[in-house]
Amino acid sequence: MFDESDRTAVADAVTEMLTTGALTLGPWTERFEQAFAAEHGASHAVAVASGTAALEIVLRTVDVRDRDVVVPAVTFYATAAAVLHAGGRPVLADVDPATLALSPRTLEAALTPATAAVVLVHIGGLITPDVDGLRAVCDRRGIPLVEDAAHAHGSGYQGRTAGSFGLAGAFSFYPTKVTTSGEGGMILTESAELRDEARIYRDQGKGSFATNHHVRFGASWRMSELNAAVGTVHLRRLKEFVETRRRVAQRYDAALAALDGIRPIVEPAGCRSNYYKYVALLPPGVDRAVFKRAVAEEFGVRLSGEVYDLPLHQQPVFGPYRGAPLPVAEDVCARQVCLPVHSDMTEDETDQVIEAVSAVHGRLAG
């Protein structure tokens, strides 16, 4: 969502950079980094080409080569793919049904003597209240906790923001995210050493921008100035966007509380989700495809894609890393739906969704 003033600001920025000729690693990248770090209370930010690149760079700085990295089974392909690209082995773990995130129990069950790192994913923008417990497990083992915060712009827990609970947080600015740069990602960290390493990795592993002396096996992970300008402009509206989404979610919470059987993933005490996704679990036995088709055809409501409909250990590409069954992940992925939520959603649109979900649920679930 870019209003007229946003579009004007971006157009002015593009004119500026085309006039100066600074198209990569220039002043807009620095502005975006500073603004995003300030928004999340972080000391350092490094803008990169994607959220996947952000996560891989962090894992490369940790050096997970030929070692294990614990990843929740309920996450996007890229979380585990980044581990593999960084030279590690993903160990897929089950999740807590209340938050769709790792819990200390599921993490302990997945740790091995070769564990090099743990990736905590904030699904739908919700930071689990177990985050401090997860960090404690990692600290006891001397293992870094890395946050996959692709969904979690502006999310928080007990006054702290996403990206501040582990060694580093990796964010995505894909077009569907609460704030976007078109394409891009960001690393947040308190470590000046990790910041410096990330800057090297994002620019083909060069020791400095002006030389061709390569000191790391990096890649072309730079964010263009055009993307940085778009992200800087859009970020100014993050608080507004989050407040709109939270108002929608509060109305959904109240409506679903009156329905027997459908269970939303509710926000625990102390948590403040950005509601990138509003996730609810259908009752066992209700056919998700039939449910989604009915709300679309009968009420004109299209439910967005799940997060996610197939857990990682059942994805064909991760077959070699499939271990024991992960029953919670399998159950929640089979039953979850995401109710529409967007940053300029109206009360009438929210009412339309509530009417559709209530009617179809009542018929299908009896």
Side-chain angles (χ1 to χ4, degrees):
M1 191 180 84
F2 291 85
D3 67 11
E4 184 177 353
S5 64
D6 296 334
R7 297 193 296 271
T8 299
V10 171
D12 290 344
V14 171
T15 298
E16 171 195 318
M17 66 186 67
L18 294 179
T19 301
T20 64
L23 299 179
T24 189
L25 296 184
W28 279 103
T29 298
E30 187 173 347
R31 290 169 196 160
F32 192 22
E33 290 172 337
Q34 292 173 349
F36 198 79
E39 190 69 42
H40 292 81
S43 297
H44 309 292
V46 181
V48 295
S50 69
T52 310
L55 189 55
E56 181 178 343
I57 288 169
V58 173
L59 294 171
R60 283 180 177 272
T61 65
V62 172
D63 193 3
V64 300
R65 288 175 297 176
D66 300 318
R67 300 182 66 194
D68 296 337
V69 178
V70 177
V71 173
V74 179
T75 186
F76 184 52
Y77 152 87
T79 309
V83 174
L84 288 166
H85 292 319
R89 297 182 297 264
V91 176
L92 306 178
D94 215 345
V95 297
D96 183 341
T99 62
L100 309 186
L102 293 173
S103 70
R105 181 185 62 80
T106 64
L107 172 57
E108 292 273 15
L111 292 172
T112 75
T115 300
V118 173
V119 180
L120 171 62
V121 182
H122 306 314
I123 289 291
L126 178 65
I127 299 174
T128 173
D130 281 333
V131 63
D132 290 327
L134 291 163
R135 175 66 185 267
V137 172
C138 291
D139 287 349
R140 286 197 298 270
R141 294 283 298 268
I143 300 167
L145 179 68
V146 177
E147 295 172 66
D148 182 337
H151 293 180
H153 311 62
S155 294
Y157 172 64
Q158 292 189 340
R160 298 169 63 189
T161 53
S164 68
F165 297 94
L167 173 65
F171 293 78
S172 167
F173 299 113
Y174 187 72
T176 60
K177 299 302 188 288
V178 177
T179 55
T180 181
S181 59
E183 290 280 7
M186 191 77 75
I187 298 167
L188 294 185
T189 185
E190 294 304 299
S191 169
E193 180 182 2
L194 191 149
R195 174 204 62 194
D196 293 343
E197 285 288 296
R199 288 174 175 171
I200 292 170
Y201 274 111
R202 76 175 173 185
D203 191 25
Q204 301 282 18
K206 294 192 299 185
S208 70
F209 181 52
T211 70
N212 283 320
H213 301 165
H214 300 266
V215 297
R216 298 286 185 274
F217 285 106
S220 180
W221 285 320
R222 297 175 298 272
M223 176 182 284
S224 78
E225 284 286 274
L226 285 81
N227 291 115
V230 172
T232 303
V233 169
H234 215 221
L235 180 64
R236 298 170 187 169
R237 303 183 66 189
L238 175 59
K239 289 184 173 65
E240 170 196 342
F241 291 164
V242 171
E243 287 304 317
T244 298
R245 289 167 173 269
R246 289 182 59 79
R247 285 195 296 271
V248 173
Q250 288 165 5
R251 296 196 62 208
Y252 284 163
D253 285 346
L256 295 187
L259 301 182
D260 184 24
I262 187 168
R263 179 176 72 82
I265 302 298
V266 297
E267 185 180 68
C271 297
R272 183 176 173 80
S273 176
N274 66 3
Y275 284 100
Y276 169 63
K277 295 282 189 178
Y278 185 95
V279 185
L281 301 181
L282 295 174
V286 171
D287 188 308
R288 178 169 54 199
V290 172
F291 184 92
K292 294 177 69 171
R293 185 166 58 251
V295 297
E297 293 177 353
E298 298 172 26
F299 294 90
V301 172
R302 188 174 66 85
L303 303 188
S304 59
E306 291 76 41
V307 284
Y308 292 88
D309 63 346
L310 196 65
L312 288 189
H313 66 291
Q314 293 181 342
Q315 295 278 359
V317 72
F318 296 123
Y321 305 96
R322 184 178 302 157
L326 303 175
V328 174
E330 293 163 17
D331 176 59
V332 297
C333 286
R335 293 196 290 126
Q336 64 176 278
V337 292
C338 293
L339 275 57
V341 56
H342 52 86
S343 297
D344 62 349
M345 195 163 181
T346 66
E347 289 192 3
D348 286 346
E349 290 171 330
T350 308
D351 288 341
Q352 184 181 355
V353 175
I354 290 171
E355 179 187 6
V357 169
S358 300
V360 174
H361 168 73
R363 187 174 76 245
L364 295 181

